[in-house]
Amino acid sequence: MVLRKIAIFLVICILVVGVTGCGKKQAEKPRIALIMKSLANEFFKTMAEGAEKHNKEHASEYELIVNGIKDELDVNKQVELVEQMIAQGVDAIVIAPADSKALVSVCKRAADAGIVVVNIDNRFDSSALKEAGLKAPFVGPDNRKGARAVGEVAAKLLKPGDKVAILEGAPNAYNGEQRKLGFQDAMKAARIQIVTSQTAYWETDKANALARSIITAHPDIKALLCANDSMAIGAVKAVEEAGKSGKILVVGYDNISAAQELLKEGKLLATADQHAGQLAVYGIEYALEMLRGKTAPKDKETPVDLITKVEN
């Protein structure tokens, strides 16, 4: 009889502890990991600051972990960051992948572990997603549309048959590929000749060296169309070094502060603002909706606006 009472007491204790534990878990705030590309790039620093500001304003709703790689091309390090977040058991990962294909498999492992995955900034490759069986919504702008708008500003100042060059982003970066296509759309519509299109890997120094070689090889070139502002800064410098300021147009993409200064000085013709400070926030808010079960994993387009020196 005594043993039976002890057994009943233990069962009640286990149930009480279990219920209490569940209640505590339900009360915990979800943890969201923001994993970005180069934190050395102003665009991504602005993105991180926007996310941290949003987290402070909504501190009761979620915890935020901000991660990023120093070198935008260090894909393996970004894979490691995702693995660390899986090991820490975060509830959601909001990621701007450095490579549209290479990060898919590790994000699939995250999803298999019950983690919500939201893709921002640079879209995952659709074939890689399908092959991996991963459903990760993309929250971000239409880069092709944005780049076409930027390219059209240059096209209005050029004549049919004029020669231009494109400085591309890193290979396997979907957003870089879309921006190249957008520039091509604008040039094709204006019947302007693209004499070369090469990657400068998003970087200023590489863009400067590439732009100098293009200007040497094509001294009659009329414009350099750059897939981000960091490369546009290098291109502007190359134009100045060649003594061709005002003779070769330069456009960029991202609307970072250094580019805004170049716009004011008339050294940069146009760029595109995809609202870096809000881009990660859009992804975080979407992740929260998914965690609350209110949203199915569907893509969501965010704003991108044309910025010209006229507007500044």
Side-chain angles (χ1 to χ4, degrees):
M1 186 65 180
V2 173
L3 290 175
R4 185 169 179 272
K5 287 183 177 179
I6 292 173
I8 292 172
F9 175 75
L10 289 173
V11 168
I12 291 173
C13 288
I14 290 170
L15 289 173
V16 168
V17 170
V19 169
T20 303
C22 288
K24 182 180 179 183
K25 188 172 182 179
Q26 288 171 355
E28 288 178 349
K29 293 183 290 187
R31 290 192 300 156
I32 297 179
L34 174 63
I35 301 178
M36 294 180 293
K37 295 191 284 184
S38 176
L39 290 180
N41 185 316
E42 181 190 321
F43 179 79
F44 293 102
K45 287 181 183 177
T46 303
M47 193 184 291
E49 290 168 0
E52 287 164 346
K53 181 174 182 288
H54 182 269
N55 181 233
K56 286 182 181 177
E57 294 169 352
H58 300 79
S60 63
E61 298 178 30
Y62 72 99
E63 293 180 16
L64 179 67
I65 303 169
V66 177
N67 282 309
I69 51 179
K70 293 181 180 178
D71 181 350
E72 198 164 338
L73 303 178
D74 192 354
V75 174
N76 291 334
K77 182 62 180 177
Q78 200 175 33
V79 170
E80 286 180 19
L81 289 177
V82 177
E83 289 173 338
Q84 289 172 14
M85 294 302 99
I86 296 172
Q88 290 186 25
V90 298
D91 297 284
I93 291 174
V94 177
I95 183 168
D99 187 294
S100 295
K101 296 180 180 177
L103 271 295
V104 169
S105 60
V106 72
C107 285
K108 176 62 167 61
R109 292 201 293 276
D112 289 344
I115 298 170
V116 165
V117 178
V118 175
N119 175 202
I120 61 170
D121 180 55
N122 180 32
R123 186 190 288 265
F124 282 133
D125 180 80
S126 58
S127 298
L129 283 176
K130 186 176 181 180
E131 184 177 347
L134 173 62
K135 291 184 178 179
F138 175 71
V139 179
D142 184 331
N143 283 274
R144 185 169 182 167
K145 184 167 64 179
R148 174 165 185 156
V150 171
E152 286 173 343
V153 176
K156 288 178 181 176
L157 299 178
L158 301 175
K159 301 189 301 290
D162 278 348
K163 297 177 182 178
V164 303
I166 296 175
L167 275 60
E168 305 172 16
N172 286 333
Y174 181 85
N175 57 350
E177 182 66 21
Q178 290 298 299
R179 292 174 196 178
K180 180 179 74 172
L181 291 171
F183 289 144
Q184 289 175 341
D185 291 342
M187 297 303 108
K188 184 178 180 181
R191 291 180 289 134
I192 292 166
Q193 182 184 1
I194 300 172
V195 293
T196 185
S197 182
Q198 302 178 48
T199 179
Y201 297 93
W202 301 123
E203 295 185 8
T204 299
D205 291 345
K206 288 185 172 64
N208 178 252
L210 177 58
R212 281 192 277 116
S213 69
I214 290 172
I215 293 170
T216 300
H218 303 281
D220 55 346
I221 199 156
K222 299 297 183 184
L224 295 167
L225 315 174
C226 307
N228 78 349
D229 285 343
S230 294
M231 294 191 295
I233 292 168
V236 166
K237 186 179 178 184
V239 170
E240 291 176 336
E241 290 167 344
K244 296 199 172 186
S245 298
K247 297 179 180 177
I248 299 177
L249 305 175
V250 180
V251 299
Y253 200 103
D254 281 342
N255 195 32
I256 64 176
S257 61
Q260 292 166 8
E261 291 302 314
L262 293 178
L263 283 165
K264 291 175 183 175
E265 296 169 7
K267 297 177 180 178
L268 186 69
L269 183 63
T271 185
D273 189 353
Q274 50 182 337
H275 308 282
Q278 280 295 308
L279 198 50
V281 172
Y282 293 139
I284 290 168
E285 290 178 337
Y286 205 80
L288 287 169
E289 289 180 17
M290 290 177 67
L291 288 169
R292 293 165 185 151
K294 295 182 178 178
T295 303
K298 294 181 180 178
D299 293 348
K300 180 179 181 180
E301 185 174 332
T302 59
V304 56
D305 297 317
L306 174 67
I307 306 294
T308 70
K309 64 178 183 180
V310 176
E311 296 166 328
N312 286 269

